[in-house]
Amino acid sequence: MSDNDGKKTLGLRGGPRSGNVKQSFSHGRTKNVVVETKRKRVVVPKPGAAQSAAGSAATTAMSLAGSKRPAGISDAEMERRLKALQAAKAREGEEAAQREAEEKARAEERDRMRAEKEAKEREQREAEERARQKAEDEERKAREAAEAAKQAAAGPSESPAARQPAGGGGGGGAKPSQAAPRKVDREREDRGRRKGDDSERRSGKLTLNQALGGEGGRQKSMAAMKRKQERARQKAMGGNQPREKVVRAVQLPEAITVAELANRMAERVGDVVKALMNNGIMATQNQTIDADTAELMIEEFGHRVTRVSASDVEDVIKEVSDKPEDLKTRPPVITIMGHVDHGKTSLLDAIRDANVTSGEAGGITQHIGAYQVTTKDGAVLSFLDTPGHAAFTSMRSRGAQVTDIVVLVVAADDAVMPQTIEAINHAKAAKVPMIVAINKVDKPSANPTKVRTDLLQHEVVVEQMSGDVQDVEVSAHTGQGLPELLEAIALQAEILELKANPDRAAQGAVIEAQLDVGRGPVATVLIQNGTLRQGDIFVVGEQYGKVRALINDKGERVKEAGPSVPVEVLGLNGTPEAGDVLNVTETEAQAREIAEYRANVAKEKRAALGAATTLEQLMKKAKDDESVSELPVLVKADVQGSAEAIVQALEKVGNDEVRVRVLHSGVGAITETDIGLAEASGCPVIGFNVRANASARNTANQKGVEIRYYSVIYDLVDDVKAAASGLLSNEIKETFIGYATIKDVFKVSNVGKVAGCLVTEGVARRSAGVRLLRDNVVIHEGTLKTLKRFKDEVSEVQSGQECGMAFENYEDIRQGDVIEIFERQEVERTLA
């Protein structure tokens, strides 16, 4: 865009003079402008000025050497300056001569290349001209032959002399065979001329491609422009020079598509497909080939192969051994385990000087609690409180796996119970030391000696029994023995010499996970090594995220968490599984890649488990399912551990005839999606410590879906058992009430055969069922048609009396047969 935007400059008419100019604007506006013109100064050089300028450089040395020498310069300095000036002039002359020689050489090279190019083009034109001339000759000969054949077919009776033209002898006439090609050539020239006229006529029209920039609106990329410039440069330098082959290190996974392989080798896809076809493999660019075939292709194209596996993405979080000088002492992790209602949480409350049990539903612990306690001596202890109910086996197993010391709580008035034995087995499997805390010793019925004796049956020998397991008698109610318990824990921790490196990427275990409405997915993590800081990027199981906030066991926000510190981590993209391992990564891309790989592996594993069945197994399962009644349920819980425990407990409910099927289990509030699934499946929704939102409640009321809320796992399991018991068929119980022996058989009109019987045992009733025994083999089972005593129809006959019996729709009775009389009774069944 120019400065005046296409407008005429202001000027004066009639010559260069000052005056007024009338300037016009839009909408009829005008303006008078005063314009002044100035004359340009023209400098005319004198005739001798050029010669004097040319000789000035030559006389510089003379002027310097003359009398007008600058003050303060000696003769030696003046001589050095003259020599430097002469050397500079000599260099300038040499450089000018060198530039002239280089320019002359480049001009000669350009002339040579131009001459070679013209010679090649001339040879190519001559070859094309020869080929065209040859083609025309062949075409003309073919036309002549065709014309001769046509004339021979038109006049076969004419003589060759008659077929010759009249002026053939004088040579004045033209031959028909020569006239025909000229006519065809003229037609071709006319068509070409008409085509040229059409193209010239259309050349002025605007096409869509021209309007959009010549290529349909698509602009050339920078890479295309660079390639075009490179081709032009090579063309100017004398033709395309063969590029040097770039050898690349190609990372090869277990399976790869042909297009991706070509991309990694930086080769054309068509070339790779062609190479595969040459090797007998018909594959398109979207097909997947195995690693061995891809390796052959990479070697054929001259590249290097680097084999990688999909699991290599997890190499960034492999275990790194810490140096001994980097290790520092860390607090011990103590897990409280034992049977339900033996006082585990109450004991921990007494240690923490708190009252956690008041917030537990039903007075029982249904989550894993993680707390830190500072003793009077200043020692820091990390406690994990596990549930004692039978359904929370997996929680106790996780608690034993991440702990350093297990405190086994046994009630002195209850001794060893099933979950106590299970806790002992978990501690032994995890190979962690154990401290036995005999609780409730303040009760009158307490018997600590019985507890110690019962523990001997499970290979737990306490110190009072000459063993190596510490035992402490405590009372959570009175506080008795708590200092001794803390001292025993400190002693055991000192023996273990627990150390970790806080100055490294954090690693921890997920104790519990839940979906909070206001905070999103929340995971309770016990840091095992390193330090987790706010802003760290991490991967945990199939989920990943960035630490948005860290909250300790007191509900306070902290900036970092070191080894053996339990914290709640916010910032996950999904709810992880309880027991997953948390690892800090350098970048979010690494974390996302690892999480996606783990999710794919889990998906493939589930698909493999579902597909690993034969046709016979599927048919057998379908046949078994026909005779099994199912009670479908949908479970939503507050935390991941509770959902897992409920599902495991419900899967154990049932027998060969009825079973409970959990269609879906999840964490968080009951949503409208859950109601839709329940309505489609015809099952109730079970909420454990969660509630349905407003839209879900309205949808449930409209569609008639039952929502049942529970806060204690006992009640949940008992109600599901009662509901599943309703699917059981009633049990038919038979009671034998008598036997009768047939003494004779009579044939009665309108009745058929009637057996004259003697009741030998019990009583015979008409409403009862009967079986006919012959030689102690049952040959018929049915009902009685008639039961008579003499001529009267009776309802029952006592033992020792004679009667007449006739069977319904059966007459094959003989003398000496025995009739067994029984009654059926339906009994309702329940699940144990």
Side-chain angles (χ1 to χ4, degrees), residues 789-822:
R789 172 78 174 151
F790 299 106
K791 292 184 179 181
D792 300 327
E793 193 80 25
V794 294
S795 59
E796 67 177 25
V797 178
Q798 296 295 327
S799 175
Q801 297 179 352
E802 294 181 347
C803 62
M805 294 184 187
F807 292 93
E808 190 78 41
N809 299 324
Y810 189 79
E811 292 186 352
D812 184 17
I813 54 178
R814 299 178 187 176
Q815 185 180 354
D817 291 348
V818 177
I819 298 174
E820 184 182 69
I821 307 155
F822 60 91

Side-chain angles (χ1 to χ4, degrees), residues 458-469:
H458 306 286
E459 300 178 1
V460 178
V461 185
V462 298
E463 289 181 344
Q464 287 199 10
M465 296 287 182
S466 301
D468 55 353
V469 178

Side-chain angles (χ1 to χ4, degrees), residues 345-567:
T345 307
S346 301
L347 181 63
L348 184 58
D349 288 345
I351 295 174
R352 297 173 60 216
D353 193 16
N355 187 18
V356 177
T357 53
S358 62
E360 294 288 355
I364 63 170
T365 300
Q366 302 178 107
H367 312 102
I368 285 187
Y371 316 100
Q372 268 202 328
V373 176
T374 303
T375 62
K376 296 179 180 178
D377 301 335
V380 179
L381 307 176
S382 298
F383 282 94
L384 299 181
D385 184 18
T386 60
H389 188 264
F392 296 97
T393 301
S394 56
M395 282 193 185
R396 285 190 291 276
S397 175
R398 282 197 300 274
Q401 289 171 358
V402 299
T403 191
D404 300 317
I405 302 169
V406 169
V407 174
L408 182 65
V409 178
V410 187
D413 61 341
D414 202 14
V416 176
M417 298 300 286
Q419 271 64 61
T420 310
I421 301 170
E422 184 186 295
I424 293 172
N425 294 333
H426 285 318
K428 287 182 178 179
K431 297 180 180 180
V432 293
M434 189 187 311
I435 298 174
V436 178
I438 304 174
N439 196 16
K440 303 183 181 181
V441 295
D442 57 319
K443 286 192 173 184
S445 59
N447 189 0
T449 305
K450 184 177 183 302
V451 173
R452 296 185 180 97
T453 306
D454 291 348
L455 289 173
L456 291 174
Q457 302 176 7
H458 306 286
E459 300 178 1
V460 178
V461 185
V462 298
E463 289 181 344
Q464 287 199 10
M465 296 287 182
S466 301
D468 55 353
V469 178
Q470 299 183 74
D471 63 314
V472 183
E473 296 182 6
V474 297
S475 173
H477 184 64
T478 62
Q480 174 188 346
L482 293 183
E484 289 80 3
L485 178 60
L486 294 176
E487 185 179 349
I489 293 173
L491 176 62
Q492 189 66 57
E494 188 176 348
I495 293 172
L496 293 175
E497 295 182 355
L498 303 171
K499 292 184 178 181
N501 180 13
D503 303 324
R504 54 164 289 180
Q507 179 182 352
V510 176
I511 303 299
E512 195 59 273
Q514 60 181 331
L515 183 63
D516 197 301
V517 176
R519 301 183 298 172
V522 180
T524 303
V525 180
L526 177 68
I527 306 301
Q528 296 173 310
N529 209 345
T531 301
L532 184 64
R533 297 177 176 84
Q534 187 173 347
D536 284 348
I537 298 169
F538 62 90
V539 58
V540 48
E542 300 175 21
Q543 313 297 335
Y544 69 96
K546 185 176 182 180
V547 179
R548 198 154 40 91
L550 295 173
I551 301 173
N552 62 11
D553 59 315
K554 300 179 182 63
E556 303 169 350
R557 295 189 66 161
V558 294
K559 294 294 184 182
E560 60 182 26
S564 301
V565 177
V567 288

